[in-house]
Amino acid sequence: MSLQLTTTVCGLLLLAGIVELLRRRQLREKYGVLWIGVGLVIIPLSVFPHAVDRVASFFGMASGVSLVLFAAIVFLLVVCLHLSWEVSRLEEKTRTLAEEIALIRMKVDQNTGSDVDQR
Amino acid sequence: MIPALNEAGAITGVIAEIRAELPGVDVLVVDDGSTDSTAREAGKAGALVASLPYNLGVGGARRLGYRYGLDGDYDVVVQLDADGQHDPKFVPQMIDALDEGDVVIGARFAGVGEYRVRGPRSWAMSFLSTVLSAVARTRLTDTTSGYRATNRRGTALYAQFFPVEYLGDTVETIVQAVRHDLTVRQVPVAMRPRVAGTPSHSPIRATIYLGRAFSVLVLALIRR
Ligand SMILES: Nc1nc2c(ncn2[C@@H]2O[C@H](COP(=O)(O)OP(=O)(O)O)[C@@H](O)[C@H]2O)c(=O)[nH]1
Ligand SMILES: [Mg+2]
């Protein structure tokens, strides 16, 4: 099987997956736009893996494929970092909510408790 | 304020002792998703009980306590453990020390009591004490103690800021107090063995403790 076929099929499958997730509203728009952008870069690259050979030699790399790999790894690292950051923020938010719920629940219990006493 | 996780065996005695030793204080037990009857026992013993919907860890439970203290406009908030290790008879001394500080730590190893630890955990503790004493510009011998008292300023800070991370709740809180221009002081206390249940530290974890203590401290110092 040729390299071109492999990369093209993978690229198309990825794009289809992204579009489907967006269509089912499983991806927030801010991520959707990012991933559509990624898809639009990946598809032409997967059809013509040597398209960026020129750019690659400018950065001192032997082949465009290396450049794409390098860029992909950097991109994935940034995405992972971003996700860790988002998770940290979400944990802080759920923690605050949990505390709030415990405080409110205690107040409710106290109030219903005193109601019972009055009866 | 007492954070408690599965302490049904000890909590009743702890609350009873506090109420006997310090009549008139409000006792808040923060039940952190216990799977035993901790919350019910605490309620029966006459404490206010706040039950978290899931386990947040000691830090989360404590911040809840401080928020309650801030909302209720309390002059002093004292945090102590549910396992009976912290003797409430030292609370008046700690409150006296609040004249000179905003955060008062009830410290083991300060000459009173028999409590000792050995091995990596003790190296970590003395390392932390050395660095944090320098940070706080006062002698602190037990920076990981969960026995503390705060005045209004301390309560206000901790109601807003109290890390959930393990060790962050003790180490980073000291660094943050100093950052916010609060004064940290310590009072020697005797520590007792826990009354019932299991301690949350095993020998293996004690070794990991050393590394974590170091990373928490470095993070605390470089964080804004
Ligand atoms: N809220 C809360 N409290 C906890 C948790 N784990 C332990 N505790 C409480 O923290 C206190 C100290 O725990 P302990 O195991 O005795 O730690 P040590 O005294 O530092 O050895 C006790 O009151 C425990 O019930 C937790 O996950 N959440
Ligand atoms: Mg203990």
Side-chain angles (χ1 to χ4, degrees):
Chain A
M1 204 156 75
S2 78
L3 169 71
Q4 214 168 351
L5 188 62
T6 317
T7 53
T8 308
V9 169
C10 282
L12 284 174
L13 282 177
L14 260 177
L15 191 65
I18 294 164
V19 171
E20 184 58 23
L21 276 178
L22 275 174
R23 223 171 54 82
R24 293 188 193 170
R25 296 173 193 279
Q26 301 283 308
L27 274 189
R28 287 275 308 272
E29 226 163 76
K30 55 176 175 176
Y31 299 116
V33 174
L34 171 76
W35 289 113
I36 288 285
V38 171
L40 289 182
V41 175
I42 282 179
I43 294 298
L45 272 179
S46 57
V47 183
F48 308 107
H50 292 286
V52 286
D53 277 0
R54 284 267 194 84
V55 190
S57 64
F58 176 79
F59 285 113
M61 292 177 198
S63 119
V65 180
S66 313
L67 176 65
V68 171
L69 272 177
F70 175 70
I73 288 172
V74 171
F75 176 75
L76 288 179
L77 275 178
V78 172
V79 170
C80 281
L81 199 62
H82 173 79
L83 288 179
S84 299
W85 175 72
E86 290 265 15
V87 169
S88 304
R89 278 184 33 191
L90 286 175
E91 277 183 358
E92 185 52 39
K93 286 180 184 171
T94 51
R95 173 193 175 187
T96 308
L97 283 177
E99 292 174 359
E100 206 83 10
I101 287 173
L103 282 173
I104 291 173
R105 194 155 68 175
M106 188 167 66
K107 281 205 189 108
V108 170
D109 284 354
Q110 277 168 0
N111 289 342
T112 49
S114 56
D115 281 350
V116 171
D117 289 344
Q118 280 159 19
R119 252 180 263 144
Chain B
M1 173 245 298
I2 313 170
L5 176 66
N6 297 334
E7 298 279 7
I11 193 80
T12 309
V14 172
I15 296 168
E17 198 181 15
I18 294 173
R19 287 166 62 103
E21 200 79 48
L22 312 157
V25 301
D26 289 343
V27 182
L28 172 71
V29 171
V30 185
D31 163 40
D32 196 9
S34 295
T35 49
D36 65 4
S37 57
T38 301
R40 214 167 341 115
E41 301 290 334
K44 263 194 272 170
L48 292 160
V49 183
S51 285
L52 285 160
Y54 59 91
N55 184 274
L56 272 186
V58 195
R62 290 202 170 125
R63 187 171 78 170
L64 169 55
Y66 285 109
R67 287 176 69 177
Y68 184 79
L70 186 69
D71 291 349
D73 207 22
Y74 288 87
D75 294 318
V76 174
V77 174
V78 177
Q79 59 166 56
L80 42 79
D81 282 1
D83 56 9
Q85 283 184 300
H86 299 152
D87 189 335
K89 80 169 183 226
F90 294 102
V91 168
Q93 271 167 265
M94 293 170 70
I95 293 177
D96 285 344
L98 281 175
D99 290 341
E100 293 155 42
D102 302 296
V103 177
V104 170
I105 305 173
R108 306 159 278 188
F109 327 115
V112 182
E114 302 285 287
Y115 190 84
R116 296 283 178 274
V117 288
R118 264 174 279 127
R121 195 173 150 104
S122 101
W123 307 333
M125 284 177 163
S126 57
F127 166 72
L128 289 174
S129 299
T130 311
V131 178
L132 289 174
S133 295
V135 170
R137 291 180 297 275
T138 181
R139 204 172 92 87
L140 302 177
T141 52
D142 187 13
T143 50
T144 57
S145 167
Y147 195 9
R148 293 183 182 188
T150 52
N151 62 11
R152 282 166 193 270
R153 290 182 69 199
T155 304
L157 171 66
Y158 289 151
Q160 180 219 334
F161 167 87
F162 211 99
V164 262
E165 285 96 356
Y166 178 60
L167 275 173
D169 63 313
T170 49
V171 173
E172 200 178 350
T173 47
I174 295 179
V175 176
Q176 286 291 334
V178 175
R179 286 266 164 86
H180 288 83
D181 293 322
L182 303 191
T183 318
V184 183
R185 287 288 174 268
Q186 77 169 24
V187 164
V189 299
M191 199 69 60
R192 302 178 294 195
R194 60 162 43 244
V195 172
T198 47
S200 49
H201 313 289
S202 73
I204 310 147
R205 279 177 66 184
T207 318
I208 305 171
Y209 186 90
L210 180 61
R212 293 179 75 173
F214 184 73
S215 61
V216 167
L217 184 61
V218 170
L219 267 179
L221 290 174
I222 63 171
R223 269 179 177 164
R224 276 196 296 137

